[in-house]
Structures are given as structure tokens and as C-alpha cells.
Amino acid sequence: MTSEVIDGPAHAPTPATAAADTKLNRGFSFRAALSLAFADISPIVALYAIFALGLFAAGPRFFWAFPIVLVGQLLVACVFGELASRWPYAGSVYQWARHVRGTAWGWFAAWAYMWGLTLTLSTMAYAAAGFLLEVVGVEDAGRWTKAAVALGVIAFGTAANMIGRGVLKVMIVASIICEIVASVVLGAILLLFYRVNPISTLFEGLPDQHGSTLGPMLIAIAFAGWAFLGFESAGSIAEEVERPERNVPKAIILALLLVGVIVMFSSVAVILAIPDLPAVLNEKSGDPVSATLLTHLGPSIAKPLLIMFVIGFVSAFLAVQSAVSRAVYGAARDRALPGAAQLSRLSGPERMPIRAIGLTAVVSALFILFAGSNLYDMLVNFSVMGPYIAFAIPVFGAALARATGRWKPGPFTLGRWGAPVTYAAAAWLAFEVVNVVWPRQQDGQPWYIDASMLLSLIALGVLGILVYLRVRGRITAPVGETAPVSQQVKE
């Protein structure tokens, strides 16, 4: 890859980018980057976290939300592949948005991304804690017991991320093995030996559902939208990947495609194997995934299943923390955050962004202390909204660059399909942002929970404006201008 890909002149390196202690080591191959993105999306987390929500919102036909969202996200992944090929720097959406449209765009993409993923860390740790308590035989654990265990999960995951890339790789491999067993193998067993519902079930709604099915399906699409996030994480570690201008785009797209196929296969298997589907849909309570597996495979499957859930959620925690910490590091290296001098420093023989990793741990741990409260429920919803806003900013920027004739491709390019795919991805993200943020009335919930997406967006947006006004005067030139791409992607 050559420096001709970058618009504008190459400036002399600034202290933030020229300092020796701000250069990441390359410790990830293509397979490692693919595995990290795969674990970040996580078929176990993607299916288990939203299956009941989708089923109770739209009935068995909610399955079709998965292929709809997958197609939309694949459009986004293809655009991200082109952006990552051209700007393979730590921080993914932050770097792409800043280079394609400017500092303000990039900064607010980073702000939404960092908050969204840090909130995701707390939800994953809290979920892993619940499963872990069940594994050791603790039932009906109280809020503070789960919070204490979740803090332990955060401490464990953070230590693993700080130790080095080798530990992360081992845990990601363990995660993938569990993902294959829990998703593919169990799904195949259900389809081959325990299918009790006909294929036509996939086109049925709720028993009492009358009139238009658009509203319930829009809700299901919003839920499924959370399931297919995380594929961009391969771009967040781009400076640590060998030949990132070619390997990162492939990892982004292939990880999403693999997880998407696995999740759809598993969801079909579970829907067709639910023993008393009408009763489940009428009650709208409980965990239909675990209940179906226990009914068909017996109680002996319970503990191994819970262990696989724990490994899946913890590994997803590790991958998400890797992604968000690189976004913090990348922004801090450009002096775009308070405390930038510390957050941009690398430590240890593997030159890891220890302080950036530690910050994500501290903030996610603080969120855990509010778990179980209405405030926590409001903030957690931003874990869906934040990434979609962060995705939309660089994609809209790429669409504007193409529309104005300023786009120049990198080594990975969609060719003549680039423009229509980019415009379609922008339209998809505009639709999904509106769909996710739209206030919806929930039975038994106060108004501020129904409007929590919008309220959290406003609150964090105002806070972001205040922080940006404070730091904007000292933000350095983009890394793509301060150092040629050829120097960044070749050792």
C-alpha cells in the first residue's frame, strides 16, 4: 500500500504520533483478527441475548429479522472493508470518520463508540456473572451478589487483556470451540432428532396477533440489530495486524458472514424444537433456549451449557474490551481526549495500551454498581444506539466522498459496486438508527424507560459536546497525514 491513497500532504510527525512509546507491535495474523471479530460478535451472545425478546415480540417469524439485519450489516461491513484498507489505524470508526470527513466527525464517532462498547462490557460481565453463579449452584442471587461476581469478571478479563496478545488468542480459540459446540453441534442435534414444529412455523406470529405485523417485526429487527455488532473490531486492532490493508477487510466481512449463518442456523433449530410453542408464546416468560435444550437433552446438559455460556460471554468481553481500548488509545494518541498523555502510552514487552484498557475496566465497573436500577436500564440501551451512530458517521462520510468525487480506493476495493453498496449501507443505517431510537411503550415500565434511547442519546450528546469543546484546540493532525500509510503498515 502506498501513500498516494491519502488525500492531502504528509506533514511532519507530531509528538503524539512520532513518540516511540505510541507505536503498537504487530502481534495478530489474519486468523487472529478474524477470530477476535468472531468472538466479539459471538454466536452464543448474539442468539441467547435476544432470542426470547424477538420471539415474544413477533412470534416465530421474528427469525426473518436475522437475514434482514445480516444483509444490511454486510453492506456496512463491505464499506468498512474499503475504509479499513485505506486507513488501517487503531480505533476503526474513529479513524475512518476522521480521515474521510474531518476531526469533528471522527471525534463524535469515537465518543458514541466508546460509550456504547463500555456499556456493553458491563452488560456482558453482568450476564456472565449470572451464568457463573448458576454453575456453582447459587440460585436467586441478589443484585449485589451478581454485581460482585461481575466485578470479578471485569477484573479477570482486564488482566487477560493487559498481559498480552498471547493470552487473548488462547481464550479466543477456547471461545470459538464453545461457539461451535453450543451453536452448530447442538443446533444440528435439535434439527435432526428433536424437531417438533413444521417449517411453516417460521412464518407464524403471536397467537393473539392481529392486523399489521410491521410493528412487531420492526421491534424484532431492532433486537436483531444488537446481535450483529462487533465485526468492526478487526479494524480497531488494525495497527497490530500483519498486512492490515488486505487482512483486516477480509476479517471484518468474513467474521460477520460466519456468525450470521451460525446464528440463523441455531435460531431455526431452536424454534422448530420448542416443545409447546403456543404455551411459550402465551406465557411470554422464561428462557426458551435453555428450556428447549433441557427438555430434549435432559438435565445433564444444563451445567455444560452454562459453562459454555460463561466462556462465550467472557470471551466476547475480552474482544469488546480490545476494540474499545484501541479506540481510546487511537483518540488519545491524537490528543483528542482528556488525559491523552497517559492514555496513549504503551507498556510491557508487547507494548499494550494498558492505561486505555484500565480506563474501560474502571468505567464499566462503575456502571455495574448501578445494575438493577432504572438508571442502569436507561444507560444500557445506549449499548445498542452508540455503535449504530458510530457506524453511521464514517459510512455517511464515505457516501458524501463518493457523491462529491473525492473517494480514492485502497488495496481492497468493491470496484464499480462501491458506490451503490455505500449508498445502500448509508440508507440501512439511517433506517436502523431511527428504528432503534424510536420510543416504544412497554407494559409496566415508566415513560423514561420507554424513551431511554432518546434520553441517553441527548444526555451523552450534550456531555460529548462539552468535552469536545474542551479538547478540540489541541487535537493533532490525523495519523494518516502525520505518517504515510506505507510506514504504518510495513515494518
Side-chain angles (χ1 to χ4, degrees):
M1 185 174 182
T2 63
S3 59
E4 284 81 15
V5 173
I6 300 298
D7 291 332
H11 302 286
T14 63
T17 57
D21 63 357
T22 61
K23 187 175 181 181
L24 290 158
N25 288 351
R26 298 206 183 280
F28 291 116
S29 63
F30 163 71
R31 285 185 295 179
L34 173 62
S35 299
L36 182 78
F38 183 96
D40 195 320
I41 313 172
S42 177
I44 288 178
V45 176
L47 180 65
Y48 189 87
I50 66 97
F51 185 90
L53 295 172
L55 184 67
F56 298 157
R61 67 162 62 100
F62 98 93
F63 161 78
W64 299 104
F66 285 126
I68 291 172
V69 173
L70 179 60
V71 170
Q73 295 295 74
L74 280 172
L75 294 171
V76 176
C78 288
V79 178
F80 281 2
E82 288 199 319
L83 291 167
S85 179
R86 191 168 171 190
W87 295 294
Y89 306 125
S92 63
V93 292
Y94 162 69
Q95 299 289 1
W96 305 334
R98 190 175 182 203
H99 284 83
V100 78
R101 284 302 298 173
T103 295
W105 284 56
W107 195 92
F108 282 100
W111 183 254
Y113 189 71
M114 289 185 291
W115 277 105
L117 265 66
T118 304
L119 285 161
T120 299
L121 290 178
S122 69
T123 61
M124 287 181 170
Y126 200 67
F131 294 130
L132 188 57
L133 286 167
E134 290 187 56
V135 169
V136 298
V138 177
E139 298 181 1
D140 300 322
R143 167 185 169 186
W144 291 111
T145 301
K146 288 183 68 176
V149 176
L151 291 175
V153 172
I154 291 174
F156 171 80
T158 301
N161 258 320
M162 286 181 172
I163 290 172
R165 299 174 183 87
V167 174
L168 180 61
K169 291 176 185 177
V170 170
M171 297 200 67
I172 294 302
V173 169
S175 165
I176 292 175
I177 294 172
C178 289
E179 302 280 5
I180 292 173
V181 173
S183 301
V184 179
V185 175
L186 290 180
I189 291 173
L190 291 179
L191 277 178
L192 291 173
F193 304 108
Y194 299 105
R195 183 167 69 88
V196 297
N197 301 307
I199 298 293
S200 59
T201 301
L202 298 175
F203 299 92
E204 297 174 0
L206 296 170
D208 59 348
Q209 196 173 76
H210 303 289
S212 174
T213 61
L214 179 60
M217 279 304 298
L218 288 176
I219 296 175
I221 289 172
F223 289 142
W226 187 87
F228 294 148
L229 294 172
F231 52 91
E232 82 296 335
S233 58
S236 291
I237 61 166
E239 289 181 40
E240 301 164 77
V241 178
E242 300 166 359
R243 299 186 66 209
E245 71 280 10
R246 296 191 181 277
N247 287 331
V248 169
K250 292 187 294 183
I252 289 173
I253 297 170
L254 187 56
L256 175 60
L257 187 60
L258 288 174
V259 173
V261 171
I262 291 173
V263 168
M264 289 191 295
F265 173 77
S266 301
S267 63
V268 167
V270 173
I271 291 171
L272 298 184
I274 295 176
D276 191 351
L277 186 56
V280 171
L281 296 177
N282 282 316
E283 292 175 8
K284 293 185 181 180
S285 63
D287 175 8
V289 179
S290 295
T292 299
L293 291 171
L294 288 173
T295 298
H296 293 305
L297 303 179
S300 61
I301 193 65
K303 186 161 288 190
L305 186 65
L306 288 171
I307 293 173
M308 286 187 287
F309 284 164
V310 171
I311 294 175
F313 274 87
V314 171
S315 298
F317 176 96
L318 290 169
V320 171
Q321 190 178 49
S322 296
V324 68
S325 62
R326 271 53 171 190
V328 172
Y329 160 80
R333 181 176 58 182
D334 293 348
R335 301 178 63 187
L337 293 175
Q342 292 299 317
L343 293 174
S344 62
R345 292 183 65 83
L346 303 175
S347 306
E350 292 198 43
R351 307 194 59 73
M352 301 290 290
I354 300 296
R355 292 167 179 81
I357 295 171
L359 177 64
T360 65
V362 170
V363 176
S364 61
L366 290 175
F367 286 137
I368 287 292
L369 299 179
F370 295 98
S373 67
N374 286 336
L375 176 61
Y376 183 76
D377 292 340
M378 289 180 63
L379 290 173
V380 161
N381 284 331
F382 196 78
S383 65
V384 182
M385 174 55 58
Y388 271 102
I389 293 175
F391 285 12
I393 293 174
V395 171
F396 289 170
L400 288 172
R402 287 188 177 277
T404 55
R406 294 184 298 104
W407 176 256
K408 294 181 182 179
F412 175 85
T413 177
L414 300 176
R416 63 180 181 177
W417 290 100
V421 167
T422 302
Y423 300 145
W428 157 252
L429 287 173
F431 159 77
E432 189 68 342
V433 166
V434 173
N435 186 38
V436 170
V437 79
W438 195 266
R440 292 182 171 95
Q441 187 173 359
Q442 305 175 60
D443 294 338
Q445 295 288 357
W447 69 270
Y448 51 84
I449 296 296
D450 294 338
S452 57
M453 290 285 190
L454 187 58
L455 293 175
S456 59
L457 175 61
I458 293 172
L460 292 175
V462 170
L463 179 61
I465 291 172
L466 295 176
V467 175
Y468 177 69
L469 292 176
R470 179 184 173 188
V471 302
R472 65 174 178 172
R474 65 183 189 222
I475 298 176
T476 60
V479 65
E481 296 180 10
T482 58
V485 173
S486 58
Q487 293 180 16
Q488 293 288 332
V489 300
K490 293 181 180 179
E491 296 295 340

